[in-house]
Amino acid sequence: MLSTRTLPLPWGNAYGLARTLLALGTAGTLAFSSTATLFRPVVTIGTYPLCHGMTSSGAFCLVPRGQFDLVRWLCVAVLLVVASGWRPRLTALPHAYISFSVFSGIAIGDGGDQITWILSLLLALVALGDGRRWHWQTPEGSTAGEPTTRATRGWALLGTSAWTVARLQMAFLYFQASVAKLPHAEWADGSAMYYWANNSSFGFPEWLRPLTDPVVHSPVGVAALTWLPVALELALAAALLMPQRRRWVLLPLGIAFHLGIAVLMGLWSFAFAMWAGLFLLLAPIGHSFPFLTSGRPRKQPTAGKPAPVNDSAPPLATVGTARNGAPGRVRPGSGGLDALRQP
């Protein structure tokens, strides 16, 4: 009798896409913002980078201020390598470190830098077990007769756990974002977006005013702009309780929502971070999008005819053992996390 617990291998291109979006968002912040803008005094706080306590280990605290430009462009170069998908195992920790350095060092944070730091740290735990040359490649397929190694099972468990924590983080983020608005009168009466549209820092751009002003100055229009985002955020917070087909419906809605925030309010690095979080929240763990697939998985020779590989479904790794103490096996398929199989 064989009793095994299986979980999906997390190394599909969905997590790779999330890494690319996170890296591009941070690279854009560093490339399109001057050093004087990123590192400057802030009233009542001090001059950034602060370099106090843990933040003193950031990249911009390790060099004199005169070398910030050099470090900034070196970070951009590394982030572009991360975004390309090359050798995720090698670029995982540099990506997380640069994300931390930007989050702790710059003076113009918009929330996206903090989200990027958290998600890049969690995805580093996934990427450290990813031995592919490119994170766009189709994961290696498995046949029923192929044993998995203990190291593969360990990395798969660590990566799947980190991805699960990232999903919980995103669900809580959307829950907090929606619920925190409800006690405020402007959100309750549907007028909040009128004030945001005219905000001096995050107001709608002048070139869009001919299109947005009629909506913002309409009671029905401004109420829709105010309440629909709250409803969508609540739906995204509950996404993990929904079947997968409904999560796929929420994915384009979430992408469009954050694209609107980026265009209307200028929060582009925040949008890239949230797009990455949406793919982690709404795509199945280990999922691969066929349109992003690069290359084919290597297949080991077997005595019989190999089973067909489903490029979009993650292979499964066992985390248990046979009852007689024999090692478990990798089983292809598309079952869920911790699905119990008993032949």
Side-chain angles (χ1 to χ4, degrees), residues 104-217:
S104 63
I106 66 173
I108 58 170
D110 61 5
D113 51 346
Q114 183 174 16
I115 297 166
T116 296
W117 151 235
I118 294 171
L119 292 182
S120 62
L121 178 62
L122 291 171
L123 288 186
L125 300 179
V126 184
L128 285 173
D130 188 353
R132 294 174 296 170
R133 182 182 296 273
W134 301 95
H135 67 207
W136 308 111
Q137 288 177 310
T138 303
E140 292 189 5
S142 303
T143 61
E146 292 179 306
T148 184
T149 65
R150 179 175 297 180
T152 300
R153 293 197 299 270
W155 284 117
L157 179 60
L158 179 63
T160 301
S161 300
W163 192 328
T164 301
V165 172
R167 299 174 102 183
L168 295 173
Q169 171 69 66
M170 293 304 301
F172 178 79
L173 188 155
Y174 280 115
F175 177 77
Q176 193 274 339
S178 58
V179 172
K181 296 180 176 72
L182 300 181
H184 299 279
E186 295 83 3
W187 287 97
D189 63 22
S191 64
M193 286 309 299
Y194 173 84
Y195 301 104
W196 277 111
N198 295 284
N199 184 273
S200 59
S201 299
F202 299 106
F204 295 173
E206 290 297 328
W207 61 273
L208 273 178
R209 292 285 183 172
L211 296 176
T212 60
D213 280 353
V215 178
V216 171
H217 290 91

Side-chain angles (χ1 to χ4, degrees), residues 28-314:
T29 297
L30 293 175
F32 298 111
S33 304
S34 68
T35 298
T37 300
L38 292 171
F39 309 104
R40 55 183 174 81
V42 175
V43 177
T44 73
I45 298 179
T47 301
Y48 278 80
L50 299 176
C51 301
H52 296 156
M54 180 177 168
T55 64
S56 61
S57 61
F60 297 100
C61 290
L62 302 180
V63 297
R65 296 190 71 88
Q67 297 182 10
F68 281 3
D69 268 334
L70 174 62
V71 174
R72 181 165 65 92
W73 287 110
L74 285 175
C75 289
V76 170
V78 173
L79 289 168
L80 291 179
V81 173
V82 175
S84 75
W86 182 77
R87 295 293 186 188
R89 177 174 286 169
L90 300 181
T91 57
L93 294 180
H95 183 200
Y97 177 68
I98 292 173
S99 299
F100 165 74
S101 299
V102 172
F103 161 63
S104 63
I106 66 173
I108 58 170
D110 61 5
D113 51 346
Q114 183 174 16
I115 297 166
T116 296
W117 151 235
I118 294 171
L119 292 182
S120 62
L121 178 62
L122 291 171
L123 288 186
L125 300 179
V126 184
L128 285 173
D130 188 353
R132 294 174 296 170
R133 182 182 296 273
W134 301 95
H135 67 207
W136 308 111
Q137 288 177 310
T138 303
E140 292 189 5
S142 303
T143 61
E146 292 179 306
T148 184
T149 65
R150 179 175 297 180
T152 300
R153 293 197 299 270
W155 284 117
L157 179 60
L158 179 63
T160 301
S161 300
W163 192 328
T164 301
V165 172
R167 299 174 102 183
L168 295 173
Q169 171 69 66
M170 293 304 301
F172 178 79
L173 188 155
Y174 280 115
F175 177 77
Q176 193 274 339
S178 58
V179 172
K181 296 180 176 72
L182 300 181
H184 299 279
E186 295 83 3
W187 287 97
D189 63 22
S191 64
M193 286 309 299
Y194 173 84
Y195 301 104
W196 277 111
N198 295 284
N199 184 273
S200 59
S201 299
F202 299 106
F204 295 173
E206 290 297 328
W207 61 273
L208 273 178
R209 292 285 183 172
L211 296 176
T212 60
D213 280 353
V215 178
V216 171
H217 290 91
S218 164
V220 174
V222 74
L225 282 178
T226 300
W227 290 334
L228 286 178
V230 176
L232 179 59
E233 288 170 341
L234 283 171
L236 290 168
L240 294 179
L241 305 177
M242 301 178 186
Q244 185 58 49
R245 66 181 183 276
R246 294 185 181 175
R247 297 183 201 173
W248 288 132
V249 174
L250 287 174
L251 182 59
L253 296 178
I255 292 173
F257 171 54
H258 289 292
L259 177 61
I261 293 176
V263 172
L264 294 174
M265 306 178 76
L267 300 176
W268 283 100
S269 62
F270 177 76
F272 274 87
M274 297 305 292
W275 286 333
L278 282 171
F279 282 107
L280 296 174
L281 173 64
L282 300 175
I285 293 177
H287 182 74
S288 283
F289 295 101
F291 61 90
L292 292 176
T293 297
S294 171
R296 301 295 302 169
R298 298 189 303 273
K299 297 180 181 179
Q300 300 293 333
T302 57
K305 182 179 179 180
V309 177
N310 182 348
D311 287 344
S312 63

